Amino acid sequence: MNLWDQFLWVIFPYLSLVIFVLGHIYRYVYDQYGWTPKSSQMFERRMLMWGVLLFHWGILFVFIGHVMGLLVPIEVYRAMGVSDHAYHLLALWAGTFFGVIALAGILLLNMRRWFISRVRTNTETMRFITDGLLLVVILSGLFATVGYRIYAAQYDLPAEFEYRENIAPWFRSLFYFAPQAELMLEVPLMFQVHVLLAFVLFALWPFSSLVHVFSIPLGYLRRGYIQYRSSNPQAARARERARRKGQQVPRPERSRNVE
Amino acid sequence: MQVKAQIAMVMNLDKCIGCHTCSVTCKNVWTNRQGTEYQWWNNVETKPGVGYPKLYEDQERWKGGWTLDRKGRLKLKAGGKLRKLLNIFFNPDLPEIEDYYEPWTYDYETLTKAGPSDDQPVARPISQISGDPLDLAWGPNWDDDLAGGTTTARFDPNIRGELEESVRFEYEKVFMMYLPRICEHCLNPSCVASCPSGAMYKREEDGIVLVDQEQCRGWRYCVSGCPYKKVYFNWETGKAEKCTLCYPRIESGQPTICSETCVGRLRYIGLILYDADRVQEAASTPDEKDLLDAQRSVFLDPSDPEVVEQARYDGVPDDWIEAAQRSPIYPLAIEWGVALPLHPEYRTLPMVWYVPPLSPVMGFVEGEGSEADPDDVFPAIDELRIPVQYLANLLSAGDEEVIRNVLKRLAAMRGYMREKNLSGAGADEIADSVGMSPRAVEDMYRLLAIAKYEERYVIPLAHKELAAELEGQQGSCGLDFAGGPGSCAPAEPNGSRRNEAFYAMKEKLEQRAGELGSVPAPNVQFFKSKADFESFHLKGRPQGGGA
């Protein structure tokens, strides 16, 4: 294993992940004001509706598929009695189905971004890059899923490439800090490309509008409808506590306005 | 009972001349930035008309405000929380820029640099969003004074029911009025309830509804959730913005800029004390026509000793209670009952109310050979140019009797004062006929006709010295972000960026704090030196001079 392999499968992924984590912390601390998906729905509605719905719902299930393939070890499936063939059948059909949905969505979103004048004019460079990269990553992923089977059929290779025995353990090895770069060396090129492109995306993630992924407003479900904020939250809380107990709150002296 | 104070506004539509000074000063103060060109936090609509944005009052289309579910419980018209989260990727009820208008400027360069030519050079309109040439088809107040009314005004959502048959847009039968609108700063704001991020809130102390620009995540549900469409999406920053009721002015006892500059002096600002515990109950009133009375019942009489005691108990400062007792809003809305909320049927309990306009009596009533007695205006109330039903659809959820009573009181006030000026004695029977005392009629006349600045705007100073986080906030640059409306440290001609205003204020605060003894002066401990302040606020050392 040469230095180049070490770089691709150890140094670069770690660089990317460090940027991902620290970048998000930095952005969250210093740029709350910029933390937004920056919608362009006002400018164009119809294409956005189709693009956004197809892409987001598609990518949501694609994400679940990646968790199933990368984070859940193959031993778990075998222990559960899911045969490798059954797994790959599901991965192929569900993966292709949702992959194509996400692809159609991101394709529409990219077209819209480039061809609709007022959307294009108000798009930052980073948005073009991440939207384009998302398209390429999804394309390469689909190509790895479907393309490998076509490739394998021509060269009499096993039709199902078992990425759960190399890519998945390599990916997990990154997180317990014992990276096994050698696992990635024999992986077909189309899978390698997909993985590397994904890590490029992770490195750009915190500096793009993709940060909105971490703002899914689940808190909304628990929150009361009408929100009040006090300029003196401590006093407001003390009043509220006293109210519940039916006590009088010590009052500040009247009108000490500092001009 | 839980007493809260709310800054409220009343506009006397009788006096609005549609000059748009309020809109223009508001725009110059708040929304002359990229991304906000189309935002009119204050706008003046000609009614009947489609309004701004187009047909915003059609809630079947926009799903703004609240409605009651089958069990009579209050719910957002656009659907509950889970439904919103499932729709988080795409807001189905959001207006497009075409529903407002595409903001534009002109290609002045071509005009000013045009060489000698046989043809007149022109400045073509270009879009401020895309920079492309634009064929103007709609713009702010495109239908001002009923311009194009024959094609657009008929779609006014307030023209419905019988009105649809009777309203004609022929010249001699047409009617119109002006409706200035700002954010309603509702007691039961549906924008706040619609915000998935919890970025919108009502201020505990004065009820002003604001958007936390840092917490806003740009989901845009406030825009569609507000039935008055007074929350706008800033397409440059990707965040929601809205009328702030000029809170920096209000906090220092000044009226909003739209009120300050109102040529007709038709705006009134004051405090209302209300019972926060009863807001939801009032908003859930089953019959739309009872919503007005329900909202009025939430307002508390600031002179009632019991209310005063409870207000003190709930932390309302004494000078605010006094201000509430002098409020011009309370008599207009409650005692005399001549001010009405805009579209109470949206169930948001809006807090900008309107005195409906009297209008000329239709020609065929007062025309030649008319036997009408000029002093006897009541029979003519139903013959006014602006149909009572139209005003009712606007201001009382369709209840014509409410409008009729208000117009009678306004007419009676004129009759009473005419009588008093001509004969020297008040005509008590006129006051009697509308159920008011002569004293009340004269007070109402004073407030509506000749009230001075201090009577129209009764705004207590904010008790910022009670704010816990003052040290951190005072002297910082309000809204000093990229694209923000203001920066506290403009570069001086000599290149210095020293903020004189800040130091003046700092010294004053320290001095004042010294006098008061017990009050810690904000900032005094926070910034040990000028260099501290500058490195904190001015992001690095100033170039040349300064520190």
Side-chain angles (χ1 to χ4, degrees):
Chain A
M1 195 161 57
N2 58 28
L3 191 61
W4 182 238
D5 292 329
Q6 283 288 349
F7 175 78
L8 283 185
W9 308 113
V10 180
I11 299 172
F12 172 65
Y14 272 125
L15 261 178
S16 159
L17 289 177
V18 165
I19 293 173
F20 184 85
V21 173
L22 294 185
H24 273 103
I25 295 171
Y26 175 86
R27 179 98 186 260
Y28 194 82
V29 172
Y30 288 101
D31 187 29
Q32 282 288 317
Y33 185 58
W35 197 289
T36 163
K38 206 179 167 194
S39 162
S40 53
Q41 188 180 341
M42 285 190 79
F43 295 160
E44 196 284 329
R45 180 191 162 88
R46 264 172 59 95
M47 270 176 92
L48 180 84
M49 183 181 78
W50 286 105
V52 143
L53 291 180
L54 288 172
F55 171 70
H56 280 93
W57 287 111
I59 206 78
L60 203 65
F61 285 96
V62 167
F63 174 75
I64 294 169
H66 279 67
V67 170
M68 285 167 64
L70 293 176
L71 294 186
V72 181
I74 191 166
E75 291 78 17
V76 174
Y77 290 102
R78 287 182 178 155
M80 276 164 42
V82 182
S83 77
D84 291 357
H85 181 64
Y87 172 87
H88 281 283
L89 222 53
L90 177 77
L92 175 71
W93 288 108
T96 310
F97 178 71
F98 290 113
V100 167
I101 287 179
L103 178 72
I106 197 69
L107 201 64
L108 262 173
L109 292 180
N110 269 285
M111 280 164 56
R112 179 177 171 279
R113 203 156 281 294
W114 283 101
F115 297 137
I116 303 218
S117 170
R118 54 191 186 194
V119 179
R120 184 180 60 240
T121 326
N122 292 291
T123 298
E124 296 96 344
T125 317
M126 186 53 99
R127 190 70 178 260
F128 283 122
I129 295 172
T130 48
D131 278 20
L133 201 55
L134 272 171
L135 174 66
V136 178
V137 171
I138 293 172
L139 257 180
S140 69
L142 268 174
F143 191 69
T145 306
V146 183
Y148 178 78
R149 292 202 171 230
I150 300 165
Y151 169 81
Q154 282 173 342
Y155 293 91
D156 269 347
L157 293 166
E160 287 150 0
F161 172 65
E162 193 49 86
Y163 49 79
R164 289 180 297 169
E165 282 178 340
N166 38 60
I167 302 182
W170 164 78
F171 184 70
R172 292 196 297 271
S173 76
L174 291 174
F175 292 95
Y176 39 79
F177 303 108
Q180 295 170 274
E182 66 280 2
L183 287 173
M184 288 304 289
L185 300 185
E186 298 307 315
V187 169
L189 184 66
M190 50 188 87
F191 282 90
Q192 289 184 334
V193 168
H194 178 65
V195 170
L196 290 174
L197 283 172
F199 275 96
V200 174
L201 187 66
F202 294 154
L204 297 180
W205 198 294
F207 311 105
S208 70
S209 50
L210 291 177
V211 292
H212 77 267
V213 171
F214 300 102
S215 297
I216 305 170
L218 292 175
Y220 185 48
L221 294 173
R222 283 185 286 113
R223 215 187 57 223
Y225 269 132
I226 307 301
Q227 301 284 302
Y228 285 97
R229 286 195 199 178
S230 171
S231 64
N232 190 347
Q234 284 161 334
R237 274 196 298 275
R239 260 202 309 278
E240 188 54 39
R241 275 197 300 276
R243 261 180 68 77
R244 272 192 227 117
K245 290 184 200 151
Q247 295 167 346
Q248 181 89 35
V249 200
R251 287 174 47 76
E253 281 173 52
R254 55 165 298 204
S255 193
R256 295 181 307 190
N257 262 307
V258 180
E259 287 141 18
Chain B
M1 183 159 68
Q2 184 188 357
V3 181
K4 280 195 197 297
Q6 163 92 31
I7 303 270
M9 189 185 283
V10 166
M11 300 192 211
N12 182 3
L13 297 182
D14 231 359
K15 298 206 270 185
C16 184
I17 58 170
C19 67
H20 303 286
T21 308
C22 46
S23 306
V24 171
T25 48
C26 174
K27 177 148 274 300
N28 283 333
V29 169
W30 291 105
T31 58
N32 55 354
R33 300 163 277 139
Q34 198 181 18
T36 63
E37 298 94 338
Y38 80 100
Q39 299 184 11
W40 291 91
W41 295 358
N42 181 107
N43 73 310
V44 183
E45 298 165 3
T46 301
K47 286 283 170 189
V50 292
Y52 187 74
K54 286 175 212 163
L55 302 174
Y56 71 93
E57 288 156 299
D58 181 2
Q59 301 313 332
E60 292 316 306
R61 178 170 171 197
W62 303 114
K63 307 271 190 293
W66 302 86
T67 181
L68 296 180
D69 68 9
R70 267 181 232 140
K71 289 180 186 160
R73 289 171 308 191
L74 203 59
K75 64 161 195 169
L76 288 169
K77 202 171 170 76
K81 292 174 175 175
L82 197 62
R83 195 192 159 114
K84 276 220 177 60
L85 286 197
L86 289 173
N87 273 313
I88 198 80
F89 303 135
F90 180 82
N91 181 341
D93 306 314
L94 191 78
E96 287 176 86
I97 195 75
E98 275 78 14
D99 293 310
Y100 301 91
Y101 65 93
E102 187 161 349
W104 72 87
T105 181
Y106 290 94
D107 177 14
Y108 294 108
E109 199 178 0
T110 312
L111 182 69
T112 52
K113 289 196 173 168
S117 135
D118 291 341
D119 304 312
Q120 175 88 8
V122 291
R124 286 189 69 184
I126 42 178
S127 162
Q128 281 180 308
I129 295 175
S130 66
D132 296 338
L134 197 65
D135 284 327
L136 301 184
W138 194 262
N141 279 298
W142 206 252
D143 58 347
D144 205 15
D145 291 353
L146 288 181
T150 46
T151 49
T152 56
R154 67 176 72 247
F155 298 112
D156 183 331
N158 300 301
I159 299 177
R160 56 175 188 260
E162 286 168 42
L163 268 183
E164 241 169 322
E165 305 298 314
S166 59
V167 169
R168 293 282 174 273
F169 289 98
E170 288 133 35
Y171 183 69
E172 64 279 9
K173 289 181 189 162
V174 84
F175 69 95
M176 76 175 203
M177 57 182 272
Y178 298 111
L179 183 68
R181 294 200 305 125
I182 63 170
C183 166
E184 299 280 350
H185 298 277
C186 307
L187 294 185
N188 185 36
S190 54
C191 57
V192 173
S194 302
C195 174
S197 312
M200 291 193 76
Y201 59 98
K202 241 180 127 52
R203 300 212 304 187
E204 180 108 24
E205 292 79 12
D206 53 18
I208 295 176
V209 176
L210 294 175
V211 184
D212 183 333
Q213 289 292 307
E214 301 225 316
Q215 208 176 327
C216 173
R217 292 289 178 258
W219 301 123
R220 314 177 298 292
Y221 278 95
C222 52
V223 178
S224 50
C226 172
Y228 302 95
K229 290 290 168 283
K230 277 292 175 189
V231 190
Y232 296 90
F233 182 69
N234 180 329
W235 48 264
E236 171 64 21
T237 63
K239 306 244 166 169
E241 292 187 25
K242 65 179 286 298
C243 161
T244 64
L245 206 68
C246 290
Y247 71 84
R249 290 177 62 90
I250 294 283
E251 283 173 6
S252 54
Q254 294 174 309
T256 63
I257 200 71
C258 51
S259 310
E260 174 82 54
T261 57
C262 176
V263 173
R265 301 180 181 187
L266 56 91
R267 298 196 187 210
Y268 300 82
I269 299 177
L271 281 182
I272 285 284
L273 299 182
Y274 71 100
D275 183 357
D277 286 343
R278 290 200 48 245
V279 166
Q280 196 176 353
E281 174 199 328
S284 313
T285 305
D287 187 350
E288 286 183 353
K289 290 186 181 172
D290 295 335
L291 276 162
L292 171 64
D293 282 336
Q295 184 170 2
R296 280 180 172 156
S297 77
V298 170
F299 297 168
L300 300 168
D301 180 356
S303 311
D304 182 345
E306 208 178 308
V307 170
V308 170
E309 196 190 341
Q310 184 67 35
R312 299 189 52 156
Y313 183 96
D314 289 325
V316 180
D318 286 353
D319 53 340
W320 279 53
I321 297 174
E322 282 165 33
Q325 288 164 348
R326 288 185 292 121
S327 168
I329 311 300
Y330 189 76
L332 285 171
I334 303 285
E335 281 175 22
W336 312 324
V338 290
L340 302 168
L342 180 63
H343 290 301
E345 70 273 21
Y346 298 160
R347 298 180 182 276
T348 60
L349 308 191
M351 290 305 283
V352 175
W353 286 31
Y354 296 91
V355 178
L358 285 169
S359 50
V361 174
M362 284 291 255
F364 59 83
V365 176
E366 62 175 8
E368 279 178 71
S370 169
E371 307 268 309
D373 173 0
D375 284 331
D376 192 11
V377 289
F378 297 160
I381 289 291
D382 280 305
E383 308 299 338
L384 298 181
R385 255 180 188 264
I386 304 174
V388 167
Q389 201 191 343
Y390 184 81
L391 291 172
N393 287 347
L394 212 55
L395 299 170
S396 64
D399 191 341
E400 295 176 41
E401 218 32 53
V402 171
I403 303 290
R404 225 167 262 133
N405 286 336
V406 172
L407 293 181
K408 277 183 186 170
R409 284 193 164 183
L410 294 174
M413 179 186 79
R414 294 179 178 201
Y416 177 94
M417 290 310 296
R418 177 160 50 273
E419 194 63 31
K420 189 180 176 188
N421 285 338
L422 293 180
S423 68
D428 292 3
E429 69 282 357
I430 298 184
D432 258 3
S433 68
V434 289
M436 293 175 82
S437 69
R439 174 71 196 274
V441 172
E442 284 181 38
D443 284 349
M444 185 162 94
Y445 159 76
R446 178 167 179 83
L447 192 59
L448 288 181
I450 55 174
K452 300 296 175 225
Y453 193 87
E454 294 75 21
E455 295 167 77
R456 282 180 281 127
Y457 309 126
V458 182
I459 306 165
L461 293 171
H463 283 270
K464 280 292 160 177
E465 79 281 8
L466 303 178
E469 294 169 299
L470 196 65
E471 281 97 327
Q473 291 169 2
Q474 194 79 54
S476 64
C477 301
L479 306 176
D480 180 27
F481 39 76
S487 161
C488 71
E492 301 287 319
N494 63 2
S496 155
R497 280 171 67 87
R498 182 186 143 104
N499 185 346
E500 297 300 339
F502 169 75
Y503 288 109
M505 183 182 69
K506 187 174 179 233
E507 275 159 32
K508 216 167 167 186
L509 284 170
E510 283 168 348
Q511 190 194 340
R512 188 92 174 98
E515 286 167 16
L516 286 166
S518 59
V519 185
N523 271 314
V524 176
Q525 298 94 336
F526 192 73
F527 297 115
K528 295 273 191 293
S529 65
K530 290 173 191 173
D532 268 2
F533 169 72
E534 272 161 349
S535 60
F536 183 81
H537 282 295
L538 304 181
K539 294 157 189 110
R541 308 288 289 182
Q543 294 172 345

